[in-house]
Amino acid sequence: MFSLEKCLFKFFTQQVGFCLCNYWTEGTLFFLSETAPTSAYSSPARSLGDTGITPLSPSHIVNDTDSNVSEQQLFLVVVAIDFGTTSSGYAYSFTKEPECIHVMRRWEGGDPGVSNQKTPTTILLTPERKFHSFGYAARDFYHDLDPNEAKQWLYLEKFKMKLHTTGDLTMDTDLTAANGKKVKALEIFAYALQYFKEQALKELSDQAGSEFENSDVRWVITVPAIWKQPAKQFMREAAYQAGLASPENSEQLIIALEPEAASIYCRKLRLHQMIELSSKAAVNGYSGSDTVGAGFTQAKEHIRRNRQSRTFLVENVIGEIWSELEEGDKYVVVDSGGGTVDLTVHQIRLPEGHLKELYKATGGPYGSLGVDYEFEKLLCKIFGEDFIEQFKIKRPAAWVDLMIAFESRKRAAAPDRTNPLNITLPFSFIDYYKKFRGHSVEHALRKSNVDFVKWSSQGMLRMSPDAMNALFKPTIDSIIEHLRDLFQKPEVSTVKFLFLVGGFAEAPLLQQAVQAAFGDKCRIIIPQDVGLTILKGAVLFGLDPAVIKVRRSPLTYGVGVLNRYVEGKHPPEKLLVKDGTRWCTDVFDKFISADQSVALGELVKRSYTPAKPSQLVIVINIYSSEHDDVSFITDPGVKKCGTLRLDLTGTSGTAVPARREIQTLMQFGDTEIKATAVDIATSKSVKVGIDFLNY
């Protein structure tokens, strides 16, 4: 038996779960005997030998909010990166001047009628797969390449959505470039973040007149709230690879949720910085009776006049709208971006005005990219799906040109527009179609039965306003439907305000739809610089991370345990008998439930003792699930997401009590979750971040 125990002990030190019980149980550390009951059911405990651990105390919660109070003082500047699906940018603020937020230098390049306070989220790699350029520079260089040469270069755009749509995201997940070649997603995201890091440090150094070190910077990266945990972790791993921070100094990087960042900025809004769409009251001279387009046009003109000034003053006061909110008042933030729409419900906590997440973030892939997909479907209907797919592969740069032309006209769509919108077709599109089909583009339009799109002799597709509006409809309908579902929730009743933010919020068609559906339920507010709302809010969040006090846990967290077997309660296949004691294996014991409120810095603390006093290695396996009603770690959807391995070798000379206390803490409330195990007798400890990518 000794050799079997020795063999299984190796398994134990690497894999075995940690037994954590909701009630006082007497447990013993044991290895599976040859007489253990057999079952076809796959059980981690059966195959590896789970441990029995006796709790020394019930679980309790410790609020540990003071430990991070002065943390931001270690950094000279906060730099926030808004890594968007369609466009990206950065802004920064010096910690000694928190009222001044500086938006990045004006980007070179750009399209007529499109703000270039951000740059397109496009990246170009050389044929040798080395980083070449990002943003407008990448797009323009790729555009100017010879068509045959362009096929060798790797051009990627709108790749952020891959993190949302990939169900089994790992560090090895691939992206597909415009030429069809595969490249590691982690590599691309790291290249992009490294580019922003270099741009920001150069600008900071130029401003300071001396070299600015990365260690002086606290970085903030924004991600959608509806992203699953693996995607959020993936962004952090990419930032580590880009050199923004390191696992050893993880506090230097904050992953901020986009609607939270927007919410933080909206707290500061003054009357002249917003437009109210709802019919409840007039703000800044605009009321519900005004047309949506007119009010927003004036707002954009205000931005245009002030664009040369890249510094925004954020007064250290609560804005007028915010001052109307009282303790317990609720509001919704609708973050409508390029790829996703995030819906978040917050509640005010006075007197400090801290924010509490009232209902878990919802939303989906309903960003402005949906309009692009509808346009592509329209092209497939007119010219044939086979041609469009071939054109994208054979003439990738020309396809990019076509979508740029569409983007410009897409932004001109409005509810009250009467004149048609013209979209220029690249010459290579017209030429390649004739070679592919044997007849002209004009012939294809005549035969397509698509009445609302005509051919212009100037080489353009002429779309009626109704045709363009129809491209928006599926995406906008999805947003409105999701909002209606949200407003049905008890937690969301009596909402006072709805803040519409994000790049897609600039679309008058979306504004009108939200106003028509919800203008009689709450006041609808749009910040004037709506495309920069998240970016500026992320800077404020980096300056004061404690402003978000309560979040909703997106997942249920727990560990695999052994409980005393109860006849009739536990499944027979989970029965394990050892030394006359009947155990139920694989029980999922919760630390915290999905959608449960967790305060910033909240710790769940437990104390345990190894059942075998001589045990020198304690391994705690942590599991997660999107569901609340989880019974066993073998249930569908339960995933292992962390391991705490506490090695107590070398402590044999230390006076250890008969019941050795192992204190375990799990910290919630932050966008990252951390776990710690401490041996009280020796103060030996081990920490781990919850890992969703490597299990």
Side-chain angles (χ1 to χ4, degrees), residues 209-273:
S210 60
E211 196 72 20
F212 225 88
E213 298 294 333
N214 186 65
S215 57
D216 296 328
V217 180
R218 160 167 270 172
W219 296 95
V220 182
I221 300 174
T222 63
V223 301
I226 59 166
W227 267 14
K228 294 188 185 301
Q229 297 301 101
K232 295 173 185 174
Q233 182 186 337
F234 187 95
M235 192 64 88
R236 177 170 283 274
E237 296 293 341
Y240 290 159
Q241 190 161 311
L244 274 69
S246 66
E248 296 73 32
N249 189 22
S250 61
E251 293 78 10
Q252 188 177 2
L253 171 66
I254 296 175
I255 301 295
L257 306 182
E258 289 167 0
E260 283 189 352
S263 187
I264 292 165
Y265 178 67
C266 287
R267 303 167 77 225
K268 304 286 188 179
L269 284 176
R270 308 306 301 268
L271 287 177
H272 65 277
Q273 295 172 317

Side-chain angles (χ1 to χ4, degrees), residues 232-486:
K232 295 173 185 174
Q233 182 186 337
F234 187 95
M235 192 64 88
R236 177 170 283 274
E237 296 293 341
Y240 290 159
Q241 190 161 311
L244 274 69
S246 66
E248 296 73 32
N249 189 22
S250 61
E251 293 78 10
Q252 188 177 2
L253 171 66
I254 296 175
I255 301 295
L257 306 182
E258 289 167 0
E260 283 189 352
S263 187
I264 292 165
Y265 178 67
C266 287
R267 303 167 77 225
K268 304 286 188 179
L269 284 176
R270 308 306 301 268
L271 287 177
H272 65 277
Q273 295 172 317
M274 60 187 144
I275 308 298
E276 178 158 7
L277 298 183
S278 55
S279 56
K280 288 217 166 187
V283 173
N284 201 22
Y286 304 123
S287 70
S289 59
D290 297 325
T291 63
V292 174
F296 209 74
T297 300
Q298 293 181 52
K300 289 200 284 189
E301 182 58 35
H302 174 83
I303 297 168
R304 201 171 288 117
R305 287 197 303 269
N306 292 281
R307 186 157 291 158
Q308 295 308 313
S309 172
R310 296 180 302 106
T311 301
F312 294 82
L313 293 179
V314 181
E315 299 174 54
N316 192 24
V317 295
I318 299 299
E320 286 94 340
I321 285 287
W322 211 266
S323 64
E324 295 181 31
L325 292 170
E326 301 172 351
E327 174 75 36
D329 277 352
K330 308 165 190 175
Y331 63 94
V332 176
V333 177
V334 180
D335 170 23
S336 47
T340 57
V341 166
D342 267 344
L343 311 178
T344 308
V345 185
H346 282 155
Q347 189 174 40
I348 301 296
R349 299 179 69 187
L350 297 176
E352 300 89 353
H354 290 143
L355 309 179
K356 174 183 178 180
E357 186 181 6
L358 196 63
Y359 186 77
K360 66 179 180 181
T362 61
Y366 316 131
S368 61
L369 278 186
V371 185
D372 297 353
Y373 296 147
E374 290 299 317
F375 177 62
E376 186 176 332
K377 282 165 61 177
L378 178 64
L379 293 177
C380 289
K381 186 175 180 181
I382 297 170
F383 303 108
E385 187 175 347
D386 55 342
F387 165 74
I388 294 298
E389 290 305 314
Q390 277 300 303
F391 181 72
K392 287 163 71 174
I393 295 169
K394 299 293 186 182
R395 301 287 188 271
W399 174 256
V400 170
D401 285 348
L402 174 55
M403 295 310 293
I404 290 169
F406 173 70
E407 177 68 25
S408 175
R409 306 320 299 145
K410 180 174 79 173
R411 289 171 181 259
D416 53 355
R417 188 181 180 100
T418 56
N419 54 319
L421 298 109
N422 296 324
I423 300 165
T424 303
L425 286 181
F427 172 76
S428 60
F429 185 98
I430 299 167
D431 182 58
Y432 191 73
Y433 183 79
K434 190 163 188 177
K435 291 176 181 175
F436 190 88
R437 290 278 190 240
H439 55 252
S440 68
V441 165
E442 185 178 1
H443 177 81
L445 275 165
R446 281 201 309 268
K447 295 293 186 182
S448 68
N449 296 321
V450 179
D451 297 332
F452 41 79
V453 180
K454 305 295 183 185
W455 176 247
S456 163
S457 57
Q458 287 82 28
M460 293 184 285
L461 294 178
R462 177 166 291 175
M463 296 184 68
S464 70
D466 287 344
M468 179 62 83
N469 295 357
L471 300 182
F472 279 77
K473 192 175 187 306
T475 301
I476 290 177
D477 285 352
S478 295
I479 296 171
I480 299 301
E481 182 183 352
H482 223 87
L483 267 170
R484 283 207 175 99
D485 289 344
L486 183 66

